[in-house]
Amino acid sequence: MSSLTLLLSFFAMFGLFQGASPAYKNLTPAQFSAALRQPGAVLLDVRRPDEFAGGHLPGAVNIDVTAPDFAQRVAALDKTKPTYVYCRSGARSANAAGQLTKSGFEHVSNLLGGVMDWPEKLVR
């Protein structure tokens, strides 16, 4: 076994190739639904406005994560409140959750599977 192979095996054994875990929580729809019941929670829909108009979770605020003013608009939110983000399938909201935590939001959670896995009725 070469020295390089031995060194790579050592790093792999101790998980040194794994990325850091995200600073936000990924929640299942059941966990997300239960967490939303806490007072002061902010629910953020990060889909496009046309997707939001087609149906969204009750009480959600729409700020499109792909819009050029996303960072500016979320900067107006209270960073100390628990913030719950979702999108259609969970990919854009994971991106948004990462951006929120990097900009100082203290408690951010992402809905795994997005509204596609949401078991409750959406509102318009």
Side-chain angles (χ1 to χ4, degrees), residues 46-112:
V46 296
R47 297 177 298 161
R48 294 184 321 266
D50 62 309
E51 294 175 294
F52 183 80
H56 57 271
L57 276 61
V61 174
N62 183 221
I63 302 178
D64 181 357
V65 70
T66 63
D69 63 346
F70 177 77
Q72 181 182 9
R73 291 187 65 200
V74 296
L77 300 175
D78 186 343
K79 294 180 179 181
T80 63
K81 290 186 174 180
T83 304
Y84 297 88
V85 296
Y86 71 92
C87 63
R88 187 180 72 86
S89 65
R92 283 178 284 175
S93 57
N95 177 6
Q99 290 185 51
L100 293 171
T101 55
K102 283 181 186 173
S103 65
F105 282 76
E106 296 175 7
H107 307 285
V108 179
S109 298
N110 175 45
L111 173 61
L112 289 172

